[in-house]
Amino acid sequence: MTVSLVAMWRANPHRRSYCRSLLLSLLIVLLLSACSNSRIGQQTNGEQEGQPLTAETTGRFSEYVLPQSRSGLMRPAVDSQGRVWFSEMSRNYLSMFDPRSGAVQQMTPPGSAGGLMGVAVASDDTIWFAEESGNFIGHYNPQTRQFKNYSLPELTVPDPQNARKQLTLPLAPNELTFDAHGNLWFTELNADAVGLLNIKTGKIRQYPLASPPSVQKLNPYGLTLDRQGNIWVALSSSSQLVRLDPISGKIHRYPLPDQESYLMQVTTDRQGNIWASGFNKPLLLKFEPASERFTTYKVTSSANEGASGTIYDVVALANGDVWVTAPSENALARLDAKTRTFSFYRIPTAGAFPFGLTVTTDESLLWFTESVSDKFGSYRLA
């Protein structure tokens, strides 16, 4: 895998810069495979529908085996009917699993170039997704089965390997979320910026996170909104948490307690606290905006005390508990709201590499993806 990536990096400057962003922002085992294989032009027949999946149940866990290997599962999202939507980067699929029928539907979005990442469900149950290498925000209507792409501008920057040349790069949209007005916000890995798509008009606005604007220095990854409508952004190559005021456009940077730590995903709880997962260390950070105070929690069990690595996704529940995916533990981990200690819930499949995480609206189920085992699963909370 590494040899293939290096060869592609040297041979094509466009792919070289794109793959550099992936290396900074994604977990290496999965995405070396995704970057070196999916971008070669792997295509599908367009839509594969109604394939029943094998279900494996152990205690509160249920796991579902995808029909193909090397799927490259990213983050899941759940619609109002309880259907689970997720992207399969290595297969170039936007996929939907219906727990009622036990079947999966897999689609290759038009224009997709092997960079399917974040997925979000709108209030009307239509699906929005980010395509990094295709450089667009995609929209899918499950009722009409129609796709629509919103193309993003490209970057033109000097080639760091040759001062006489210019590189043309995609903005590389990564994660996305909706605000109270139904507008779609997304991070741009290559552009060190946050984008805003007005889904009614189709207009796109850029908010640089650095002044002057920079390229591939911050690598903004996850984002979330608080109740005041502020945008909070996790940076995967700078030791900061960022707040963007969407009205004034002002950027506020909060240095992390550990200047050798970087962030991956971010969410907010009902009290307005910001929670972020560690990209290069197994840490969970809590930030209290009113006091500008950070609290750091190490996400390792006593049996794995000296482990290095990362955690990926983070979800805050109404009862104050915070759940994360912990790949080095092969587990979901829960930070108890009262004791502030972690409990670990091991994935039944060994070496599953739990990755994306989401919770149903009624908070009865956690859904998660397994990036190495080509499965996704649920954990029953109630």
Side-chain angles (χ1 to χ4, degrees):
M1 303 291 184
T2 305
V3 174
S4 298
L5 178 60
V6 171
M8 186 174 68
W9 189 308
R10 291 174 177 170
N12 189 321
H14 299 268
R15 292 182 176 181
R16 179 177 67 220
S17 297
Y18 172 66
C19 291
R20 177 170 59 190
S21 290
L22 288 183
L23 286 170
L24 285 170
S25 63
L26 302 174
L27 299 172
I28 301 300
V29 173
L30 167 65
L31 289 174
L32 284 179
S33 172
C35 195
S36 62
N37 289 283
S38 66
R39 289 178 56 79
I40 295 174
Q42 196 173 48
Q43 295 293 325
T44 69
N45 293 326
E47 183 169 330
Q48 300 180 32
E49 184 177 7
Q51 300 179 81
L53 299 185
T54 301
E56 302 168 349
T57 301
T58 306
R60 293 192 174 195
F61 280 101
S62 293
E63 295 178 280
Y64 302 88
V65 185
L66 287 168
Q68 299 92 10
S69 62
R70 303 170 67 84
S71 295
L73 287 163
M74 297 290 109
R75 296 185 68 198
V78 182
D79 67 19
S80 66
Q81 300 180 48
R83 297 175 300 187
V84 186
W85 296 83
F86 52 93
S87 56
E88 298 182 52
M89 179 182 271
S90 298
R91 286 281 170 183
N92 211 19
Y93 289 154
L94 174 67
S95 299
M96 184 273 288
F97 173 70
D98 188 340
R100 296 166 299 185
S101 66
V104 67
Q105 176 185 357
Q106 297 168 307
M107 300 161 285
T108 300
S112 184
L116 290 171
M117 276 298 300
V119 175
V121 180
S123 58
D124 62 357
D125 262 1
T126 61
I127 310 303
W128 295 79
F129 56 93
E131 216 296 358
E132 288 187 354
S133 50
N135 203 37
F136 65 84
I137 301 297
H139 180 229
Y140 176 69
N141 187 325
Q143 292 187 339
T144 64
R145 299 193 177 189
Q146 294 297 308
F147 282 93
K148 182 177 181 179
N149 296 344
Y150 295 80
S151 299
L152 300 177
E154 294 182 321
L155 295 165
T156 302
V157 298
D159 186 342
Q161 306 297 321
N162 189 336
R164 297 180 180 180
K165 292 185 177 181
Q166 298 282 311
L167 292 179
T168 301
L169 305 175
L171 298 185
N174 183 61
E175 293 295 353
L176 30 75
T177 190
F178 290 96
D179 65 19
H181 307 290
N183 297 312
L184 189 68
W185 293 84
F186 53 95
T187 51
E188 300 172 358
L189 279 172
N190 281 343
D192 292 344
V194 172
L196 170 64
L197 170 63
N198 184 319
I199 63 175
K200 294 179 181 178
T201 66
K203 291 184 177 180
I204 295 171
R205 181 178 176 183
Q206 309 292 323
Y207 294 82
L209 299 181
S211 183
S214 61
V215 175
Q216 296 184 334
K217 292 183 179 179
L218 303 178
N219 292 102
Y221 197 88
L223 79 166
T224 191
L225 279 83
D226 63 22
R227 291 188 174 183
Q228 290 72 44
N230 294 305
I231 313 297
W232 293 85
V233 185
L235 307 180
S236 61
S237 60
S238 179
S239 299
Q240 302 172 82
L241 178 67
V242 171
R243 175 169 63 89
L244 165 64
D245 183 335
I247 297 177
S248 67
K250 290 184 178 180
I251 302 295
H252 301 266
R253 298 168 179 261
Y254 301 94
L256 304 185
D258 181 354
Q259 288 298 291
E260 295 182 354
S261 293
Y262 309 114
L263 302 177
M264 181 71 78
Q265 296 289 9
V266 63
T267 193
T268 183
D269 65 21
R270 294 196 174 186
Q271 289 70 46
N273 301 309
I274 308 300
W275 296 87
S277 60
F279 168 60
N280 60 330
K281 295 184 180 182
L283 302 175
L284 174 66
L285 275 74
K286 175 186 178 184
F287 180 70
E288 301 170 64
S291 63
E292 298 187 4
R293 176 190 175 191
F294 281 98
T295 305
T296 302
Y297 302 91
K298 191 172 184 180
V299 191
T300 52
S301 64
S302 57
N304 205 17
E305 187 64 34
S308 59
T310 185
I311 60 174
Y312 183 76
D313 219 345
V314 54
V315 169
L317 302 189
N319 66 1
D321 289 351
V322 180
W323 288 77
V324 301
T325 48
S328 60
E329 300 279 351
N330 199 47
L332 306 183
R334 176 178 63 91
L335 180 66
D336 187 278
K338 296 179 180 179
T339 66
R340 290 306 185 205
T341 58
F342 278 101
S343 298
F344 292 86
Y345 304 84
R346 311 291 173 186
I347 309 298
T349 299
F353 212 79
F355 203 63
L357 182 68
T358 194
V359 65
T360 55
T361 304
D362 62 2
E363 297 194 350
S364 63
L365 278 178
L366 288 169
W367 286 96
F368 59 94
T369 56
E370 304 177 14
S371 294
V372 171
S373 62
D374 295 304
K375 300 178 183 179
F376 61 95
S378 66
Y379 180 81
R380 184 164 297 280
L381 296 170

